[in-house]
Amino acid sequence: MTVETFPFTRTDEEWRRLLTDEQYRVMRGHGTEPPGSCALLHEKRRGVFHCAGCDAPLFASHDKFESGTGWPSFNEPEPGAVETSVDRSHFMVRTEAHCARCGSHLGHVFDDGPPPTGLRYCINGVALVFHPSD
């Protein structure tokens, strides 16, 4: 098994101090927050959604859309901000999305999104911090 390294790293102890228990469970433990549980699901202001672990800009607000799933959804990430890998957990094969800078788990990518990309980046709101530009 190869261990991927990222430009921004922290020790496990540092992650536990920085993140809330829920953020740690989702971002470092590859968990999922309950649908509809995050206020960022309803965020409609202009701005950029950043990684809660390293503050890297991940998604622009103009790429956010209402998917009806209960999680913030985006057409595409900022260039180079999100990497993907195969997730074979829970007896299925999915595409995991993680922060390209720190490796934190963000959510999953599905091919049922609207044009122009046809993709739906289904992202855990606890993995995001919103920086408004208004």
Side-chain angles (χ1 to χ4, degrees), residues 5-50:
T5 58
F6 297 94
F8 184 90
T9 60
R10 294 183 194 273
T11 65
D12 188 62
E13 183 179 306
E14 290 170 326
W15 283 118
R16 287 183 185 276
R17 278 198 312 263
L18 171 77
L19 303 172
T20 67
D21 289 345
E22 179 73 353
Q23 285 174 317
Y24 183 86
R25 185 184 69 76
V26 169
M27 297 174 71
R28 305 312 298 173
H30 298 260
T32 302
E33 69 188 3
S37 65
C38 181
L40 290 181
L41 176 63
H42 306 290
E43 181 59 65
K44 300 198 183 310
R45 295 176 292 172
R46 288 181 5 177
V48 177
F49 294 84
H50 289 240

Side-chain angles (χ1 to χ4, degrees), residues 89-103:
S89 64
H90 305 291
F91 305 105
M92 55 184 138
V93 178
R94 299 178 291 176
T95 301
E96 178 200 357
H98 58 269
C99 175
R101 185 167 180 241
C102 72

Side-chain angles (χ1 to χ4, degrees), residues 31 37 39 48 56 69 74-75 80 82 89 92 101 104 121 127:
S37 65
V48 177
T69 61
F74 303 87
N75 286 103
V82 175
S89 64
M92 55 184 138
R101 185 167 180 241
S104 289
Y121 284 79

Side-chain angles (χ1 to χ4, degrees), residues 62-130:
H62 60 77
D63 288 317
K64 186 174 184 278
F65 66 94
E66 177 53 55
S67 66
T69 61
W71 291 278
S73 296
F74 303 87
N75 286 103
E76 63 184 341
E78 293 291 277
V82 175
E83 294 179 349
T84 60
S85 59
V86 176
D87 176 359
R88 297 183 189 283
S89 64
H90 305 291
F91 305 105
M92 55 184 138
V93 178
R94 299 178 291 176
T95 301
E96 178 200 357
H98 58 269
C99 175
R101 185 167 180 241
C102 72
S104 289
H105 172 74
L106 302 172
H108 292 89
V109 186
F110 301 96
D111 62 1
D112 60 0
T117 65
L119 297 175
R120 174 173 53 94
Y121 284 79
C122 187
I123 306 299
N124 289 286
V126 296
L128 303 173
V129 174
F130 183 67

